[in-house]
Every structure is written in structure tokens, then in C-alpha cells.
Amino acid sequence: MLTHIRPVAALTGALVLAASLTACGGSSAASDEKVVTVYSADGLKGEAGDGWYDKVFADFEKQTGIKVEYVEGGSGEMVQRALREKSNTQADVLVTLPPFIQQAGSKGLLQAYAPQGSDRVDGADKAPDGTWTSIVNNYFGFIHNKKELPTAPKSWEELLDSRYKNRLQYSTPGVAGDGTAVLIKAMHDFGGREPAMEYLKKLQANNVGPSSSTSKLAPKVDKGELLVANGDVQMNFAQSKSMPNLGIWFPAKGDGKPTTFALPYAAGLVNKAPHGENGKKLLDFLLSEGAQREVSAVGGGFPARKDVKPTDANALALGKLLEGVEVFEPDWADIDENLTAYVDAWKSATGS
């Protein structure tokens, strides 16, 4: 896990103050504190402080005076942390990938709030009950080392070749959002759970092993320690600015078309958030037209608002990446309901 927390003292003081006021029977003043705490899946913060989060959080603080306290990790990891803290809530805003944002909603971790601008987000990219809204659109993908593997593999089957032994890795399903996406795409491409698990059992012979965070894999691919790893378009495109050997690709089943699916960063207001009003202000800001226009230019992603259509160089390059790739829509309700069973099947198949 890669974790960033800034600055701890201010956050701790705010929480202590809130607790003391509550103990005295008074109303909590936590919402008046100039702080908002974000738990987020990794990918939107730049390795060198040059990511979309870095820019929008700085702009938000300048405009509002509210400091963003930031904690990041794998998608499932962030939901589990929020769940453990349910009786003593620490986070105000939770950002994670499907199916973990649905999981957070079903476990009562989120409260309904429709940020300003959410009416411009497609219906499939927000919760029907208003508990979460996509803030950055994104797609699942894989990466390869362009120097040692100039031509990306075309199919899942190619990855079974012995040349990839101990030079292939994917993040852990059930812990990382992109790792869970490996299961989702394999089940789609192979036509069901059983054939997908049969394939992943074979692939395990080449797999280096578990990784709780997908972002840790890109540096290994860039350096040539790995030839292939999983990822997502936004994160890997942003990383390629400082990791020139990264190439993005999408596996196909046999001679079929390459496929992918939308894997947006979705944000929700945490239930019983200690700084709920500040959380609402941040969600509004993240979906503002100005912040959305910087999603591609700064963050290497796709705007969540359908009325924002950037034409910067990154936006054009991202559009080209998806040319000829079939985009399917997973059954997120089924995945939310059966995620534990799918992950257990993967553990059994791979011996993980």
C-alpha cells in the first residue's frame, strides 16, 4: 500500500476537538474545521506531485481555505478501512473503483449527496440512490515494457508462454480494483466463471505473486523487471510521462477483438462524515467544469461530465488508444452480490 497523509497533526486535533465536544453533550464543531479527509484508490495523485489530485486539491484549498488530508491504497483496502472505522468515522470522502464503490454503498458507508454538476454525469456512472458519482472516467487495461517487448501481446493465450515466467504480475482481486477487474474481464472474455478460473489457474505458473496496489507494478514494468502487468488507462497514461517504457494494451480472447470496460473513479460522501459540509464542497469542486477540463490535460483520464469535451493532446491520444477496442458493460449488481464467491473461486484456482 502506498499511503500519503497530510498533515496528521491538524486532522488529529480536529478529531480530538470533535470527540471532546460530543462527550460534553454539545454539538460537534468538526464541520467548522478547515479540513476534509479523503480516502482514495491510487492513480489520481502524481508520482512527482503533478497529478490531477495534486492540482485540484491545491486549487480547492486556495479557493476555500480547506486543507485536504489524503490517504490512498487499493480500492478494496480503502473500503475495508472505512468499514473498520464505521463506529468512529475518520474519512469525509471515499473515492474507489467499481465494484468497491457499490460495496461501500451496500454496507452503509455512504450517504446520499448529488454534487453540483452530477446532473451532467451519465446515469450509468452514478448511483441510482445518489450515494456516489463518477469524478474521472477510466478503462481497464494492461501494460507492457516497450523496450524489451516492442509489440504488445494480442491475446490472453500468449501470456501463457514460458517467456513470461516470473515476468508477469497482476494485482490481487478483492483487494485492488484493477486486480478485481482482471477477474471481471476474464469472465467476460472466456464466457463465464469456470473457463476464466481454468485460464487463470494456468496463468499462475507465470505470475510473480500478489500485489495490494496496482500502481506499484508500473515501475517494475518500466524498469524491465516485469514484461507485462495489469493497470488502467488513466493511471498508466499518467505514469508514462515519467516512465517512458510503458505501453498500454488490451487482451483479446484468441483471435477476437480486444476488449475493455469502464472503470471510473467514483466518489461518495461518507456516512457520518466528521467534516461533511467540507466533503460536499470538495465533491462539488471535483465535478466543476474547470476541474473536469483538467482530467485529461493533467490527469491523463476521461472527464466524468458528458458536457466537458477536452481537445488537448492527451485527450486526443487517449481517444486513439481505444480505437478498435470493444467496450462492454459488466453486470455490477451481480458482481457486487457475488464478489466474495468470485474471489474465493480465484483463490481456489490459483492457490492464492
Side-chain angles (χ1 to χ4, degrees), residues 300-348:
F302 305 79
R305 284 178 55 154
K306 55 190 177 183
D307 63 323
V308 175
K309 302 184 186 300
T311 57
D312 58 89
N314 283 355
L316 298 176
L318 287 163
K320 196 167 184 179
L321 266 177
L322 293 173
E323 287 180 2
V325 180
E326 178 185 297
V327 179
F328 66 91
E329 186 173 335
D331 184 344
W332 291 116
D334 169 76
I335 293 163
D336 181 34
E337 182 179 349
N338 297 297
L339 179 60
T340 299
Y342 294 151
V343 172
D344 286 346
W346 170 81
K347 289 177 179 177
S348 177

Side-chain angles (χ1 to χ4, degrees), residues 139-146 149 151-153 159 164 167-170 178 182 213-223 226-240 243 245-251 321:
Y139 295 89
F140 176 65
F142 275 69
I143 49 176
H144 68 106
N145 180 290
K146 293 192 295 185
L149 194 66
T151 302
L159 298 180
Y164 296 104
R167 301 195 72 187
L168 174 151
Q169 190 173 16
Y170 61 90
D178 290 325
V182 172
S213 178
T214 314
S215 65
K216 292 181 178 180
L217 303 182
K220 295 180 182 180
V221 173
D222 183 60
K223 293 173 186 174
L226 298 173
L227 289 178
V228 168
N230 70 314
D232 63 68
V233 173
Q234 177 278 326
M235 178 173 65
N236 297 142
F237 188 89
Q239 289 172 319
S240 67
M243 302 178 194
N245 294 321
L246 293 187
I248 299 171
W249 67 287
F250 306 92
L321 266 177

